[in-house]
Amino acid sequence: MVTLIARGRPVRAPWPAHARLNGKDIPLALLSKTGARLVATVPPDQPNVAPEGYGEQAKNPVFGAPYAIRDLTRGMGQRRARQGPNGRYWYTLNARCRSGRRLQGPALTNYTPGTLDSTIGIIRWFEIGGRIFAGNGRYALSGSTDGTGWTVSKDFGAGKAMTDVIVLQTNQASSTRYAQVAMGDGENLWYFDGASATTTWTQTTGANAFKARAWAKDAENVYWANDANKLNQCSLDADVLVVANHAAATDRIGTYDHPVVRMTVNGAGSLVACKQDDIYFLQADGSWRRAFEDLQFPPAATNGEALARWVNHHYVTYGNATYRLADDGGLTPVGPELLKDNGSEVNGYVSAMVGTDFFLLAGLYNPDNAKSYLLEFTGELVADEQGRAEPVWHGSITAAFSAKKILSLHTSTIGAPAGHKMAYIGFSDGTISKYVLAHTPDPADCTSEVFSTGTSEVYHSRAYFGFPSERKALLRATGEGDNLSSSNKFTLHYRPSGAGSYTAMTSAFDAGERESVDFPDASSCVFLDTKEVLSNAAATASPQVSGLAILYQTRPVPQEVLAIAIPAEDSLRKRDGTPYRLGAEELHDFVDQLAGFSGGVPFIDSDGDSHQVLVHAPQKVTAWLEGTKQPVKAIRCLLIEQEPNETRGLLQNLEAYTLEQLEAFLLAQLEEVV
């Protein structure tokens, strides 16, 4: 309200009119014979709406409503949860959510072999003679019988490099089991019997010399490609190391200018060749069918390199996209690139994959920051908030690997506790990591599980609390877990601005199965980013976080609905006796125009309070003139407030006064107006 003192008399905008609507003075009548000129009501908002049922969300909202984040098994990649918690989250670093509980990531054992090829990296794994080996460019490295040490088993020589390997034994009674190492089109094949870590390595020579770049086998034959795109085969009833046993080569696979990268046999027994330009399926008539056909990915040496079989399908990466290959040749996009709302650092393309008992393990490379991440894929597709199908990926389950790419993944019982498997990770710089795979779907239920003791972070989807544009008061957070203690705890970090830094709550959740921590006084937000930071005291355990609930209360700016009655009469006068400029017909037209206007207009009431309003539902009624209490024809309408207007600091506030009135004010008094 603006009050001026003119020669000792109070003057209030919009004096001398009753009110001012969209810059025009208007009269106001009484809404009822003994009522007021203006009736203001505030409709109930969310904090005052009674709950519709029982349960966690049924608490009287006047005390706050919980935003509960519990099950996160629907996967990563959801930056914003516009419709509330739905089982998804943004991303993790060194934490796992696949099993339903939030856990720290696995403890890695890392190796840097004394001799390694840092240019090509670890591209293949094989096992023979009870030992595990890694193909590292010019070297075959031995991890012995326990996956440690990583010494040179074979140096193929400068400028030479392994391209693929297959371990097989033919059906002949006197045959020997060999690891047969492909060296590409420029070097004859090597084979290794695994009698020891270094013996015996032999290269094919003379009449039995041949070359290979990729291997595959089925129940009857072994296949290999050489000379870029030529397919060769040999019956498993014959010795593949004898060239005379090789069958005549079939037609070449596609064109010569795009070499074969990997080969495999699908569940239907069909040979599949992954070339730099496409995936080719061998047909019964000996011809080749292309998978992508008209899609035409740009040829690349990495196309088809990430290839794995898990459950009933093969998975392969072409370009920056990962596909599931059905046995009938059908392709389904399933890669993390489909997570459209991701936008986190855990994004990029899949560079390696391997199947495990419970999930597909994948290495992800982000070319923007040159970091790699380890992800888990459950094989499921779920609907996002718009109803689009998205794959369920989790991760990263480890911290980021800087300045190197995951090139290969392998699982083996070698080096693992009894009844378990070990996951081996091969990097582009020739380094190696490994960790124990839990034998249970939930790693926390496996007594052989070893947890990371590093920082573990679970980034939640941005919360709008169901009211994207309203202010919310943050009251407290309640954490839930199965083993929370001073040794296994988690801390909530939050930020009310997407560009700001996270702030840690003053206390950790470290006692009992359920604990509450208050937000600092006056904490509020429109939307909220949160993350859980998990920590433990020993690698034998991890905090098992089952839920987080944030108690909040919406705090909308109060909005009023103003009911007024405008007398539609001619010759009405203002409070100082001067006539209103608008007559009955003009008032009708004026109100009708404002009712059809889509935007808000300014309204100044009799007390000088300013509002931005929408004119709604005008109707003809009978009202009463103030003073005489005589009934008159009037236009009753509702003024729905959008927001209160600032009543000070605006030159338009002077419009309510005549020049003669303004001359009566002191300068200091005018400054109070504007």
Side-chain angles (χ1 to χ4, degrees), residues 385-404:
E385 290 188 330
Q386 287 73 45
R388 300 171 300 197
E390 289 193 341
V392 179
W393 288 85
H394 290 277
S396 173
I397 67 168
T398 63
F401 302 103
S402 297
K404 59 184 180 181

Side-chain angles (χ1 to χ4, degrees), residues 28 32 75 208 210 325 431-432 550 574 604 620 660:
L28 294 181
S32 61
N208 288 323
F210 68 100
L325 278 66
T431 57
I432 295 170
I550 298 172
K574 302 179 184 179
I604 303 175
K620 296 178 181 180
E660 180 182 0

Side-chain angles (χ1 to χ4, degrees), residues 89-165:
Y89 59 96
W90 191 12
Y91 70 104
T92 63
L93 288 174
N94 199 30
R96 291 170 286 185
C97 302
R98 174 180 49 82
S99 65
R101 293 182 286 188
R102 279 89 90 180
L103 307 171
Q104 291 178 267
L108 300 180
T109 304
N110 305 308
Y111 301 95
T112 301
T115 301
L116 54 79
D117 187 335
S118 60
T119 302
I120 295 181
I122 308 294
I123 66 162
R124 295 289 185 273
W125 303 85
F126 63 96
E127 299 174 30
I128 191 169
R131 298 177 179 85
I132 186 168
F133 296 85
N136 175 216
R138 66 179 286 182
Y139 303 110
L141 302 177
S142 171
S144 192
T145 58
D146 57 2
T148 64
W150 300 103
T151 58
V152 175
S153 172
K154 178 63 180 178
D155 181 356
F156 300 110
K160 301 174 183 179
M162 177 189 302
T163 61
D164 202 3
V165 60

Side-chain angles (χ1 to χ4, degrees), residues 309-373:
R309 183 168 182 85
W310 180 53
V311 192
N312 295 322
H313 300 94
H314 276 86
Y315 294 82
V316 66
T317 296
Y318 266 71
N320 291 330
T322 298
Y323 298 86
R324 181 161 57 200
L325 278 66
D327 288 344
D328 62 1
L331 293 170
T332 303
V334 295
E337 70 279 353
L338 297 178
L339 304 175
K340 300 177 181 64
D341 194 30
N342 184 1
S344 73
E345 66 173 273
V346 184
N347 75 82
Y349 61 87
V350 171
S351 57
M353 291 177 281
V354 69
T356 74
D357 290 342
F358 305 111
F359 52 87
L360 181 73
L361 186 65
L364 185 78
Y365 182 69
N366 184 341
D368 292 335
N369 62 11
K371 293 182 179 180
S372 291
Y373 306 88

